[in-house]
Amino acid sequence: MLSTAPLVSFAPAALEATTEWIIPYAGGPSSDADDEAAVAAAWQGLQLPHLQALLALMEAGPSQSGSEMDFSPPHERALARSMGLPDAPGLIPWAAREAAEYHQACAYVTPCHWHIGADQVHQSDPQSTPLGEEESRQLLALLAPWFADDGITLEYRQPQCWLARGELFDGLATASLDRVIGRDVRPWLPDARQARSLHRLQSEVQMLLYTHVFNDARAALGQPPINAFWVHGAGRLPADAAAARPRSVQCVNSLRTAALQGQVAPWRAAWQALDAGLIAALLGQVRAGRDLRLVLCGERHAVAWQRRAPRWRDRLAGLLGPRPLPALGAML
C-alpha cells in the first residue's frame, strides 16, 4: 500500500455495493496545481460527456477546503470522513486501522530512494525503485534493531510498506506519500521537536545503507539504492472507531499516476477512459433513481455531489442539451 489511503481501481462488481465514489486528482496534474494557466490548459477541449450529464443531475455541497501544503491530500481526508476516522491533515491513523490495532499507535514505513542535491532532497516514486519480497524482508531485518532502539517494532506487510508500532506515532502528524513523490521532502518532514528521534534515525539509516552490501547488490543489477524511508499514516485509533459505521465507499486511482508525474496528456486520456467507464455506469444508476454521492478532489479542495430529486427543469435541459461542465480545475 504505497499511498496512505487504501485506493482501489474501478471494478464493475462493486457498483451495486457502493454508494459513494471518491476520485482523487480530478482537478489536474499535481505539478500544475498552483498554476492557474496550466490547469486551464490541462482542461482545454477535454470532453467528458458522461460526467457533464451526471453532474447536471446532482447538487454540489460546500467545498471541503484545504491547502496544497496540508499533510493529507483532500481525497484522503474525504475517505477518512466516510470511514468514520479522524480527518485532520497528517493525523489519519491509516496504519492502525488496517492492522485493527486499538491499543498502540502505528504508522507505515516505506523504504525509498532520496536523491540528495545541493538545494533539495528529492523523493523518488517507490514504484520506480521496486523491492522484491525477499529483498524487502532482508532490509527489514537489517533495520529493525535500529528502530527497536527507539521503541519501534517493524512488521512486514508488503515489499514497500511495513507496519510500525510505537508510542512515537501517537499524535505525530506525518505527510502522505502522495504529497512527497517527485518533490523536495524537507517541507513535509514531521515536526523536528516532536520527531527528533525519527530524524536521527533517518540520518543513521542513510549512513548505514550508504556503503552497505544490500545496495551493492542493487547497484550490480542497475537499480537505484534504497537510502531512506518515509513514515506515513501514523496515529492511534480513537476508542470509538470500532463503533463507527463507514459508508460504502470506493476511492478510484485512475488519475493518480499521471497526476503525480505531472503528465497532462496521460491525465486527460485517463479522465476520458474513466468517463467512458465508471462515470457512464454511475450516470445510468442515477438515471434509474439510485442515490449516489460523488466526491471530486484536487490538490487543495474536495467537492461532493449528491443525487437530487428530478425537477421539471431537468426535462427542459434534456431537450436543450446538458449544462456546461463546471470549471472543476478552478474548484479543486
Side-chain angles (χ1 to χ4, degrees), residues 103-127:
H103 304 293
Q104 194 170 19
C106 298
Y108 291 126
V109 172
T110 293
C112 55
H113 171 72
W114 285 2
H115 177 73
I116 302 175
D119 58 353
Q120 69 169 344
V121 180
H122 182 271
Q123 167 74 60
S124 298
D125 187 341
Q127 298 285 10

Side-chain angles (χ1 to χ4, degrees), residues 21-300:
W21 295 85
I22 298 174
I23 301 181
Y25 303 106
S30 61
S31 64
D32 295 332
D34 57 352
D35 186 336
E36 293 182 5
V39 170
W43 280 92
Q44 183 68 35
L46 181 59
Q47 299 297 314
L48 303 174
H50 297 106
L51 181 65
Q52 184 175 352
L54 177 60
L55 296 186
L57 300 176
M58 306 178 80
E59 287 183 332
S63 172
Q64 300 292 329
S65 299
S67 163
E68 68 274 14
M69 295 304 297
D70 286 339
F71 273 13
S72 299
H75 62 273
E76 293 189 10
R77 299 183 66 192
L79 185 58
R81 287 190 290 270
S82 295
M83 298 177 76
L85 295 174
D87 70 340
L91 294 170
I92 305 173
W94 292 120
R97 181 191 179 277
E98 185 195 10
E101 175 62 77
Y102 289 90
H103 304 293
Q104 194 170 19
C106 298
Y108 291 126
V109 172
T110 293
C112 55
H113 171 72
W114 285 2
H115 177 73
I116 302 175
D119 58 353
Q120 69 169 344
V121 180
H122 182 271
Q123 167 74 60
S124 298
D125 187 341
Q127 298 285 10
S128 68
T129 56
L131 278 168
E133 179 176 345
E134 181 179 354
E135 190 180 21
S136 178
R137 289 184 181 275
Q138 290 175 354
L139 182 61
L140 187 150
L142 173 65
L143 299 184
W146 296 77
F147 280 79
D149 286 344
D150 287 300
I152 301 169
T153 61
L154 295 179
E155 176 184 325
Y156 179 87
R157 286 298 176 102
Q158 297 181 27
Q160 291 173 286
C161 195
W162 307 333
L163 178 70
R165 291 182 171 90
E167 292 306 308
L168 170 65
F169 306 123
D170 193 359
L172 179 68
T174 57
S176 165
L177 195 58
D178 276 16
R179 287 305 206 193
V180 297
I181 288 177
R183 294 174 171 170
D184 186 349
V185 305
R186 291 174 298 178
W188 306 100
L189 293 170
D191 179 75
R193 292 167 296 179
Q194 190 177 4
R196 184 175 301 152
S197 59
L198 202 59
H199 287 252
R200 174 184 45 75
L201 183 59
Q202 186 73 259
S203 297
E204 291 173 348
V205 166
Q206 287 175 355
M207 290 187 289
L208 172 68
L209 294 177
Y210 182 66
T211 57
H212 199 276
V213 293
F214 175 85
N215 277 321
D216 291 342
R218 289 181 61 85
L221 297 174
Q223 297 175 338
I226 301 299
N227 59 2
F229 60 86
W230 194 254
V231 174
H232 52 112
R236 181 190 295 272
L237 277 176
D240 58 354
R245 301 187 62 181
R247 302 183 188 127
S248 176
V249 58
Q250 296 269 9
C251 192
V252 184
N253 65 4
S254 303
L255 307 177
R256 178 177 180 265
T257 299
L260 290 179
Q261 294 176 355
Q263 297 178 336
V264 174
W267 176 84
R268 287 166 60 93
W271 237 135
Q272 290 176 319
L274 188 60
D275 185 73
L278 174 62
I279 300 299
L282 297 181
L283 175 60
Q285 288 191 328
V286 169
R287 284 175 171 168
R290 187 174 179 213
D291 286 336
L292 177 73
R293 178 180 167 90
L294 178 67
V295 187
L296 301 181
C297 307
E299 283 276 6
R300 301 180 180 89

Side-chain angles (χ1 to χ4, degrees), residues 300-313:
R300 301 180 180 89
H301 314 308
V303 179
W305 275 265
Q306 193 81 34
R307 175 188 172 270
R308 55 170 171 74
R311 301 180 300 198
W312 66 268
R313 286 180 292 180

